[in-house]
Amino acid sequence: MDLDHARTVAVEAAEAAGDLLREGTRGTIGVRAKGVAGDVVTDLDLASEKLLLERILTAFPSHSVIAEESGLVGAAGGEWTWLVDPLDGTNNVAIGLPAYVVGVALCRDGLPVLGVVHDPVSGQTWSALRGRGATASSGARLAPPYAPSPHGPLLAWTQGYGVARDDARGSALKQAMERASRRVLQLWAPLLSWAMLARGDIDGIVGYRAEAVDLPAGALLAVEAGLDIRTLDGGPFEACMDAPAERRSFVAAHPRAIPGLLALLR
């Protein structure tokens, strides 16, 4: 498997999907309900996903794909599986907020080896290969420094759609973050938060039962940028694509910031 070729395919596909989304947001967007938890899907989600599936499966016809809207395409349990989030930030797009990205990951035996995040608004793309670092569109390596603020950390929060409004642990975590941080961002676009963390724009991310489709790409981008991800009790965290929801809670930050964040959440 040529991972450099896979990255080229993923980057070009994500950027083509980004062009489609950016153009589509200039006109009327068809929005309809998705599920019973208040989520939505747009015509742009479906068009972007169709483009991504065609690009990926044309290049790698023997691989499987798990896409946000289509679910599993191909046989389950194979060595190589792609994860596709065609529009991370659909709720933002639906209300006219330009905060959304395209995410693509390639997993081998469940673990991410390639991650790509493309921001159609800025035109920037960030990608990572396992063990080979993370880079921006310019080719510059992502390696944010440890730069603590005397006013507390700037954190992002993400949670899965299945988390109930009255979930006691989720509420307690958010309250702890609000008390001890400078600001808590809830962007409705987890992959955008991961890109911000890998660039050094924010200090950390706390995830609670996060969604499985976008987690591997974002987590790989952060790890390859030199950041650390831990479970909420401080143990090692692995962004396995088939991990159950209870194993998709985490703290991500610079390694030197992790102990303080874990203490904050306790």
Side-chain angles (χ1 to χ4, degrees), residues 24-199:
T25 56
R26 295 171 180 164
T28 302
I29 301 171
V31 182
R32 55 185 178 275
K34 174 184 174 183
V36 297
D39 197 14
V40 298
V41 63
T42 72
D43 295 340
L44 294 178
D45 292 79
L46 302 176
S48 175
E49 185 167 291
K50 181 175 183 292
L51 184 155
L52 290 163
L53 288 173
E54 288 176 350
R55 292 285 189 103
I56 291 170
L57 291 174
T58 296
F60 303 100
S62 64
H63 291 189
S64 301
V65 181
I66 298 175
E68 177 75 17
E69 308 305 332
S70 303
L72 176 65
V73 179
E79 181 181 10
W80 299 99
T81 301
W82 294 80
L83 303 177
V84 169
D85 194 338
L87 175 47
D88 185 36
T90 300
N91 284 280
N92 293 336
V93 169
I95 62 172
L97 182 65
Y100 60 94
V101 294
V102 179
V104 178
L106 174 61
C107 296
R108 183 179 189 183
D109 296 328
L111 297 177
V113 295
L114 163 64
V116 173
V117 178
H118 172 65
D119 179 357
V121 178
S122 68
Q124 296 296 302
T125 305
W126 304 275
S127 63
L129 290 175
R130 181 174 287 268
R132 293 173 53 184
T135 58
S137 298
S138 64
R141 291 290 291 266
L142 299 178
Y146 177 58
S149 167
H151 306 293
L154 178 56
L155 304 175
W157 165 267
T158 182
Q159 68 182 47
Y161 291 118
V163 176
R165 292 180 182 273
D166 59 353
D167 185 285
R169 193 179 190 199
S171 297
L173 288 169
K174 286 194 285 186
Q175 289 172 9
M177 292 169 67
E178 292 283 0
R179 285 195 300 268
S181 66
R182 179 159 44 108
R183 181 167 295 180
V184 178
L185 305 178
Q186 298 186 58
L187 298 179
W188 295 357
L191 283 170
L192 182 56
S193 297
W194 284 111
M196 294 174 69
L197 180 64
R199 296 196 310 256

Side-chain angles (χ1 to χ4, degrees), residues 243-263:
E246 57 270 20
R247 288 174 49 200
R248 298 199 300 268
S249 298
F250 60 85
V251 175
H254 191 282
R256 293 173 62 186
I258 287 288
L261 285 180
L262 290 171

Side-chain angles (χ1 to χ4, degrees), residues 158 194 205-210 215 229-232 237 247-252 262 265:
T158 182
W194 284 111
I205 301 175
V206 178
Y208 182 59
R209 303 171 78 90
L215 178 58
I229 309 177
R230 294 283 167 173
T231 62
L232 296 180
F237 180 87
R247 288 174 49 200
R248 298 199 300 268
S249 298
F250 60 85
V251 175
L262 290 171
L265 294 174

